[in-house]
Amino acid sequence: MKPRKHGLAVLVMLIFVWGSAFSLPEIHRPELSPYARYRLSRIPLIRRFVKPPTPPEKAYQETRRLVEKLREEGADIYAPDLFSRVEKKWERARTYYRTGHYDWAETYFREIAELGRKALEETRRRREARKRAAEEVLKKLRRSFEARRERLSPEKRLRIALALWRLELLIQLEQFEDFRREARRISQTYGL
C-alpha cells in the first residue's frame, strides 16, 4: 500500500487551529486560595509560576503588641476570662500565620483586637475600683490614727506612721492583695 499524502490538509488544519486559538477569548482560570498559593510556592519547580500571598505582617505585629500590653496591664489578674480567650485565639492565629493560612490568621487577628479592647477596658475599670477601695481603707485607718495620736507613745506613733506609709506605697504599686493583708495586720496590731 502506498502512503497517502495529507500534507496540504494537515497544513490547512494547523493554520486554522493556530489562527482560531488567538482569536478565542482568554480562558478564566480559577483563583487559588492563599493557603494553596503558599503551599505551591514552596515546591521548587512550581515556585516560578506561583507567587506566595503576602503575609499580614502589620496585623500580626499589632496583635502581638496588644497581647503584650494586656499582660503588662494585668489582664490575667483583673479580667482572667477575657484574657484566657485572647491567649487561646492568639495561639491559634500564630499557628495559622506560621503555616501560611493567612486568611484564617487575619480573621483571628480581628477577633483578638475586639476581645483585647474589651479586656483592657475591664482591666482598667476593675483596677480603678480596687484602687478606690484601698484608698478608702487607708483614709479610714488614717482617721483612726489621728483620733488616737495624742494618747500614743512617740515610738508607737512612728511605727503606725511607717505602716501607713507602707500601705500608701502598696497602693501606688497596685499590689492590692498585699495591701489587704497588711491593712488587716495593722488594724489588728495597733487597734485602728
Coordinates of all heavy atoms in Angstrom, one line a residue, residues 151-187:
R151 N -2.7 60.1 122.4 CA -2.6 59.1 123.5 C -1.5 58.1 123.3 O -1.2 57.3 124.2 CB -4.0 58.4 123.7 CG -5.1 59.3 124.2 CD -6.4 58.6 124.3 NE -6.9 58.5 122.9 CZ -7.9 57.8 122.5 NH1 -8.5 57.0 123.4 NH2 -8.3 57.8 121.3
L152 N -0.9 58.0 122.1 CA 0.1 57.0 121.8 C 1.5 57.5 122.2 O 1.8 58.7 122.1 CB 0.0 56.7 120.3 CG -1.3 56.0 119.8 CD1 -1.2 55.9 118.3 CD2 -1.5 54.7 120.5
S153 N 2.4 56.6 122.4 CA 3.8 56.9 122.7 C 4.4 57.3 121.4 O 4.0 56.9 120.3 CB 4.5 55.8 123.4 OG 4.6 54.7 122.4
P154 N 5.5 58.1 121.4 CA 6.2 58.5 120.2 C 6.7 57.3 119.4 O 6.6 57.4 118.1 CB 7.4 59.4 120.7 CG 7.0 59.8 122.0 CD 6.1 58.8 122.6
E155 N 7.1 56.3 120.0 CA 7.6 55.1 119.3 C 6.5 54.4 118.5 O 6.6 54.1 117.4 CB 8.2 54.1 120.3 CG 8.8 52.9 119.6 CD 9.4 51.9 120.6 OE1 9.9 52.3 121.7 OE2 9.3 50.7 120.3
K156 N 5.3 54.3 119.2 CA 4.2 53.7 118.5 C 3.6 54.6 117.4 O 3.2 54.1 116.4 CB 3.1 53.4 119.6 CG 2.1 52.3 119.2 CD 1.3 51.9 120.3 CE 0.6 50.6 120.0 NZ -0.2 50.1 121.1
R157 N 3.7 55.9 117.6 CA 3.2 56.8 116.5 C 4.1 56.6 115.3 O 3.6 56.6 114.2 CB 3.4 58.3 117.0 CG 2.2 58.8 117.7 CD 2.3 60.2 118.0 NE 2.5 60.4 119.4 CZ 3.0 61.5 120.0 NH1 3.3 62.5 119.3 NH2 3.1 61.5 121.3
L158 N 5.4 56.5 115.5 CA 6.3 56.3 114.4 C 6.1 55.0 113.7 O 6.1 55.0 112.4 CB 7.8 56.4 114.9 CG 8.9 56.2 113.8 CD1 8.7 57.4 112.8 CD2 10.2 56.2 114.4
R159 N 5.9 54.0 114.4 CA 5.6 52.6 113.8 C 4.3 52.7 113.0 O 4.2 52.2 111.9 CB 5.5 51.6 114.9 CG 6.8 51.2 115.4 CD 6.6 50.0 116.4 NE 7.9 49.7 117.0 CZ 8.0 48.8 117.9 NH1 7.0 48.1 118.4 NH2 9.2 48.5 118.4
I160 N 3.3 53.3 113.5 CA 2.0 53.4 112.8 C 2.2 54.3 111.6 O 1.6 54.0 110.5 CB 0.9 53.9 113.7 CG1 0.6 52.9 114.8 CG2 -0.4 54.2 112.9 CD1 -0.4 53.4 115.9
A161 N 2.9 55.4 111.7 CA 3.1 56.3 110.5 C 3.9 55.5 109.4 O 3.5 55.7 108.2 CB 3.9 57.5 110.9
L162 N 4.9 54.7 109.8 CA 5.6 54.0 108.8 C 4.7 52.9 108.2 O 4.8 52.6 107.0 CB 6.8 53.3 109.4 CG 8.0 54.3 109.8 CD1 9.1 53.6 110.5 CD2 8.5 54.9 108.5
A163 N 3.9 52.3 109.0 CA 3.0 51.2 108.4 C 2.0 51.9 107.5 O 1.7 51.3 106.4 CB 2.2 50.6 109.6
L164 N 1.4 53.0 107.8 CA 0.5 53.7 106.9 C 1.2 54.2 105.6 O 0.7 54.1 104.5 CB -0.1 54.9 107.6 CG -1.1 54.6 108.7 CD1 -1.6 55.9 109.4 CD2 -2.3 53.8 108.2
W165 N 2.5 54.6 105.7 CA 3.3 54.9 104.6 C 3.5 53.7 103.7 O 3.4 53.8 102.4 CB 4.6 55.5 105.0 CG 5.5 55.9 103.9 CD1 5.4 56.9 103.0 CD2 6.7 55.2 103.5 NE1 6.4 56.9 102.1 CE2 7.3 55.9 102.4 CE3 7.4 54.1 104.1 CZ2 8.5 55.5 101.8 CZ3 8.6 53.7 103.5 CH2 9.1 54.4 102.4
R166 N 3.7 52.6 104.3 CA 3.9 51.3 103.5 C 2.6 51.0 102.8 O 2.6 50.6 101.6 CB 4.3 50.2 104.5 CG 4.4 48.8 103.8 CD 5.0 47.8 104.7 NE 4.7 46.4 104.2 CZ 5.3 45.9 103.2 NH1 6.1 46.5 102.4 NH2 5.0 44.6 102.9
L167 N 1.5 51.2 103.4 CA 0.2 50.9 102.8 C 0.0 51.8 101.6 O -0.5 51.4 100.5 CB -1.0 51.1 103.7 CG -1.2 50.1 104.8 CD1 -2.3 50.4 105.7 CD2 -1.4 48.7 104.2
E168 N 0.4 53.1 101.7 CA 0.3 54.0 100.6 C 1.2 53.6 99.4 O 0.8 53.7 98.3 CB 0.7 55.4 101.1 CG 0.5 56.5 100.0 CD 0.8 57.9 100.6 OE1 0.7 58.1 101.8 OE2 1.0 58.8 99.7
L169 N 2.4 53.1 99.7 CA 3.3 52.6 98.7 C 2.7 51.4 98.0 O 2.8 51.2 96.7 CB 4.6 52.2 99.2 CG 5.5 53.4 99.6 CD1 6.8 52.8 100.2 CD2 5.9 54.2 98.3
L170 N 2.0 50.5 98.7 CA 1.4 49.3 98.1 C 0.3 49.7 97.2 O 0.0 49.1 96.2 CB 0.9 48.4 99.2 CG 1.9 47.6 100.0 CD1 1.3 46.8 101.2 CD2 2.7 46.7 99.1
I171 N -0.5 50.8 97.5 CA -1.5 51.3 96.6 C -0.9 51.8 95.3 O -1.3 51.5 94.2 CB -2.4 52.4 97.3 CG1 -3.2 51.8 98.4 CG2 -3.2 53.1 96.2 CD1 -4.0 52.8 99.2
Q172 N 0.2 52.6 95.5 CA 0.9 53.1 94.3 C 1.5 52.0 93.4 O 1.4 52.1 92.2 CB 2.0 54.1 94.7 CG 1.5 55.4 95.3 CD 2.6 56.2 95.8 OE1 3.8 55.9 95.7 NE2 2.2 57.4 96.3
L173 N 1.9 50.9 94.0 CA 2.5 49.8 93.3 C 1.4 48.8 92.8 O 1.7 47.9 92.1 CB 3.5 49.0 94.1 CG 4.7 49.7 94.5 CD1 5.5 48.9 95.5 CD2 5.6 50.1 93.3
E174 N 0.2 49.1 93.1 CA -1.0 48.3 92.7 C -0.9 46.9 93.2 O -1.3 46.0 92.5 CB -1.3 48.4 91.2 CG -1.6 49.8 90.8 CD -1.8 50.0 89.3 OE1 -1.6 49.0 88.6 OE2 -2.3 51.1 88.9
Q175 N -0.4 46.7 94.4 CA -0.3 45.4 95.0 C -1.4 45.3 96.0 O -1.2 45.4 97.2 CB 1.0 45.1 95.6 CG 2.2 45.1 94.6 CD 3.5 45.0 95.2 OE1 3.7 45.0 96.4 NE2 4.5 44.8 94.4
F176 N -2.6 45.1 95.5 CA -3.8 45.2 96.3 C -4.0 44.0 97.3 O -4.6 44.2 98.4 CB -5.1 45.4 95.5 CG -5.0 46.6 94.6 CD1 -4.9 46.5 93.2 CD2 -4.9 47.9 95.2 CE1 -4.8 47.7 92.5 CE2 -4.8 49.0 94.4 CZ -4.8 48.9 93.1
E177 N -3.6 42.8 96.9 CA -3.6 41.7 97.8 C -2.7 41.9 99.0 O -3.1 41.6 100.2 CB -3.3 40.4 97.1 CG -4.3 40.0 96.0 CD -5.7 39.8 96.6 OE1 -5.8 39.2 97.7 OE2 -6.7 40.2 96.0
D178 N -1.5 42.3 98.8 CA -0.6 42.6 99.9 C -1.1 43.8 100.7 O -1.0 43.7 102.0 CB 0.8 43.0 99.3 CG 1.5 41.9 98.6 OD1 1.1 40.7 98.9 OD2 2.4 42.1 97.8
F179 N -1.7 44.7 100.1 CA -2.3 45.9 100.8 C -3.4 45.4 101.8 O -3.5 45.8 102.9 CB -2.9 46.9 99.9 CG -3.7 48.0 100.5 CD1 -3.1 49.1 101.0 CD2 -5.1 47.8 100.7 CE1 -3.8 50.1 101.7 CE2 -5.8 48.8 101.4 CZ -5.2 49.9 101.9
R180 N -4.3 44.5 101.3 CA -5.4 44.0 102.1 C -4.9 43.2 103.3 O -5.3 43.4 104.4 CB -6.3 43.1 101.2 CG -7.6 42.7 101.9 CD -8.5 41.9 100.9 NE -7.8 40.8 100.2 CZ -7.7 39.6 100.7 NH1 -8.2 39.3 101.9 NH2 -7.1 38.7 100.0
R181 N -3.9 42.4 103.1 CA -3.3 41.6 104.2 C -2.6 42.6 105.2 O -2.8 42.4 106.4 CB -2.2 40.6 103.7 CG -2.8 39.3 103.4 CD -1.8 38.2 103.0 NE -1.8 38.1 101.5 CZ -0.8 38.4 100.8 NH1 0.4 38.8 101.3 NH2 -0.9 38.4 99.5
E182 N -1.8 43.5 104.7 CA -1.1 44.4 105.6 C -2.0 45.3 106.3 O -1.8 45.6 107.5 CB -0.1 45.3 104.7 CG 0.9 46.0 105.5 CD 2.0 45.2 106.1 OE1 2.2 44.0 105.7 OE2 2.6 45.7 107.1
A183 N -3.1 45.8 105.7 CA -4.1 46.7 106.4 C -4.8 45.9 107.5 O -5.0 46.4 108.6 CB -5.1 47.2 105.4
R184 N -5.1 44.6 107.2 CA -5.7 43.8 108.3 C -4.8 43.6 109.5 O -5.2 43.7 110.6 CB -6.1 42.4 107.7 CG -6.9 41.6 108.7 CD -7.3 40.3 108.2 NE -8.1 40.4 106.9 CZ -7.9 39.7 105.8 NH1 -6.9 38.8 105.8 NH2 -8.6 39.9 104.8
R185 N -3.5 43.4 109.2 CA -2.5 43.2 110.2 C -2.3 44.5 111.0 O -2.3 44.4 112.3 CB -1.2 42.8 109.6 CG -0.1 42.4 110.6 CD 1.3 42.2 110.0 NE 1.8 43.4 109.4 CZ 2.4 44.4 110.1 NH1 2.4 44.3 111.4 NH2 2.9 45.4 109.5
I186 N -2.2 45.6 110.4 CA -2.1 46.9 111.1 C -3.3 47.2 111.9 O -3.1 47.6 113.1 CB -1.8 48.0 110.0 CG1 -0.4 47.9 109.4 CG2 -1.9 49.4 110.7 CD1 -0.2 48.8 108.2
S187 N -4.4 46.9 111.4 CA -5.7 47.2 112.1 C -5.7 46.3 113.4 O -6.1 46.8 114.5 CB -6.9 46.9 111.3 OG -8.1 47.1 112.0

